């Protein structure tokens, strides 16, 4: 796969000075857990990026539960971690792939293409008995020059155009589990249901025990999706849609965008309809 690396490869390349490893572990129900896990043990040389403090902006009236972070602030954090355009970046989480894929998407958006997700994450790495460390690394300050790819992000207005029939070239993909898509249950957001016209492709169907399904299996998952369409993926807050974004790109889809605010942003506008 093009955007996913295996633990065996990373183990063999741990000493490569051109590689930066980023720990993205996070637990939505316990926001401090990921950082604490990092302090208890992480891949050698890994730096920590927090979903809510680093990979998201402050929550406001609109923008969803995990809004787009301030680009200048994020770039300064990348520079402090010794990350520039010359570095190959490997992001990992506990194996969910959602948090690592959020980091992957942000770097793709900033124009950095040498970024990958570690297949199986920390769970599979530690299960294999591979080395871990409690040392907090320090890197020489780098210079990160963002070159945003705005075509990777969808605005709420574009989603609205699709919903109200102004753009029949757009397909919305809801990445949440089926019960949330159907509005049978909603454990997080204030309203239940989905954005009108969206189809459901649960993100977890692209993984098996934290391992990404094969390229052929990913292609089969999306075999009913017209590649000529402009695809906009969303979830609850723009996190679990990221593994679907990655899987779609792996499967060869060219026109894929992430609605960062996702359902939690959509429902913040009273005039927006819900199915």
């Amino acid at each position: 796969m093009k955007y996913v690396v295996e633990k065996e490869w990373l183990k063999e390349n741990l000493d490569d000075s051109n590689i930066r490893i980023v720990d993205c572990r996070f637990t939505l129900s316990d926001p401090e857990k990921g950082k604490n896990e990092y302090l208890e043990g992480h891949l050698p040389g890994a730096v920590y990026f927090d979903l809510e403090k680093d990979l998201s902006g402050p929550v406001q009236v609109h923008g969803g539960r995990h809004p787009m972070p301030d680009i200048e602030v994020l770039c300064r954090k990348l520079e402090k971690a010794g990350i520039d355009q010359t570095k190959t970046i490997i992001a990992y989480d506990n194996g969910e792939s959602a948090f690592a894929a959020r980091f992957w998407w942000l770097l793709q958006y900033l124009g950095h293409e040498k970024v990958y997700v570690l297949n199986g994450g920390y769970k599979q790495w530690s299960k294999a008995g591979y080395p871990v460390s409690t040392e907090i690394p320090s890197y020489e300050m780098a210079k990160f020059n963002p070159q945003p790819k705005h075509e990777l992000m969808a605005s709420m207005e574009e989603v609205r155009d699709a919903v109200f029939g102004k753009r029949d070239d757009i397909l919305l993909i809801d990445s949440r589990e089926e019960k949330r898509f159907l509005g049978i249950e909603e454990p997080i957001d204030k309203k239940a249901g989905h954005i009108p016209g969206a189809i459901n492709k649960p993100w977890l169907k692209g993984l098996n025990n934290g391992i990404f399904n094969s390229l052929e299996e990913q292609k089969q998952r999306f075999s009913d999706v017209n590649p000529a369409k402009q695809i906009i993926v969303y979830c609850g807050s723009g996190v679990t849609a990221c593994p679907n974004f990655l899987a779609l790109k792996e499967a060869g889809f060219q026109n894929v965008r992430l609605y960062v605010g996702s359902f939690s942003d959509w429902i913040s506008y009273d005039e927006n309809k819900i199915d």
Side-chain angles (χ1 to χ4, degrees), residues 15 31 52 69 103 107 148 160 191 200 202 209 220 224:
D15 296 329
E52 296 186 343
F103 181 92
L107 268 288
R160 190 178 277 171
K191 298 179 182 179
N200 188 211
N209 293 321
Q220 182 60 37
D224 58 341

Side-chain angles (χ1 to χ4, degrees), residues 157-168 170-172 196-197 232:
E157 287 73 23
E158 287 176 293
V159 175
R160 190 178 277 171
D161 284 347
V163 170
F164 292 103
K166 295 179 181 178
R167 292 281 302 275
D168 59 6
I170 293 176
L171 174 67
L172 301 175
I232 297 178

